[in-house]
Structures are given as structure tokens and as C-alpha cells.
Amino acid sequence: MQALRIDTDTTVTDLNLPETDAHSVIRDLVGSPDAVDQGTYHRRALLHIHGNGQQIGLPANLAAWALVSIWRGSPLYPLAGTIVVTGRTASGDTETLNDELAQHVKAVAQTVRETMQAWRTRPPVSNDAAIRELLTYAARDVVSSR
């Protein structure tokens, strides 16, 4: 089953999960042996998120946050730690991530990485300006990859 891992440094890695024990592998990938939350931010995708990531102080995952904020149409709460993105069936089960959504993930992660790098020499004037800038670029990536 094709999936993607989004790391907190904006790196995206292609995954080939086993059909029979995907949830066990996902738990290992996100570093959560006990609780993995499944977030539905797009009707055809599931995000598998460390269940206690924010409470234990995992770093923010800005690439995943920007992606799901665009999929949902408004800025959402912060996401923390490594996140695995899979496809989602109509009944809510995990399945292979389709190529269109995989392209969204990769394009937004690259844009977030490039934007954060540019901020080293040209920092945003405020947190609100940073959020607007990231989400504007992410929206462009999602629309242009359709």
C-alpha cells in the first residue's frame, strides 16, 4: 500500500506499507507504540498522527499543518511529530494514497521547506504574516497540482 511519511523537517518519504499489518508499521513510523490518531482532513486521505505528540513536546510539523489547513479551507490547530499519509476508502478504512493527493503532499512540503529557508534572510514581520504566506503558497500548490 503506497503512503507518504512527512517528517518535521519537511522531508517526504515514499512508503510501501504491508496490506495486512499497516497499522503496526504506522505506529512504528510515527513513534507511538500506544496511540495513533487518524485525522480526516480530506475525504480521500487519512493522516496518522502520534496520539500524544503535542503533550510530549514533539516538534511542529508545518508541512502537514499547511497541507491539511488548505484541504480543510482554514488554518487548523498545530500538528506535531512525524505523520503518515495514506488513502482513505469511502467507509473510512486505510488504502493506497492516490497520485493526485501524493502530489499535494510533496508540493506543499517542498514549498514549506523553501519558504522557511527564505525566512532565514527575509523573516516574516509577524506570526500572522508567516501563516498567511505559507497558506497562500500551499493553496497555490494544491490548486496547480490538480
Side-chain angles (χ1 to χ4, degrees), residues 112-124 133 137:
V112 169
R113 181 173 40 258
E114 291 170 354
T115 302
M116 290 171 53
Q117 187 174 16
W119 286 347
R120 291 185 184 125
T121 58
R122 181 199 45 83
E133 184 176 0
Y137 296 153

Side-chain angles (χ1 to χ4, degrees), residues 17-73:
L17 302 174
E19 296 288 334
T20 56
D21 200 18
H23 292 289
S24 176
V25 173
I26 290 169
R27 276 195 308 273
D28 290 343
L29 289 167
V30 301
S32 181
D34 300 321
V36 175
D37 293 336
Q38 289 183 344
T40 305
Y41 304 97
H42 189 286
R43 63 183 167 77
R44 293 180 292 146
L46 285 172
L47 271 72
H48 305 268
I49 304 164
H50 191 294
N52 300 312
Q54 286 189 302
Q55 288 106 345
I56 65 171
L58 293 179
N61 193 319
L62 288 178
W65 169 82
L67 174 71
V68 300
S69 293
I70 295 306
W71 279 350
R72 278 300 183 96

Side-chain angles (χ1 to χ4, degrees), residues 1-5 12-17 26 48 84-87 94-97 102:
M1 170 186 337
Q2 298 302 312
L4 295 172
R5 183 181 74 210
V12 175
T13 305
D14 290 294
L15 302 171
N16 188 7
L17 302 174
I26 290 169
H48 305 268
V84 174
V85 184
T86 63
T94 302
E95 73 172 355
T96 290
L97 183 65

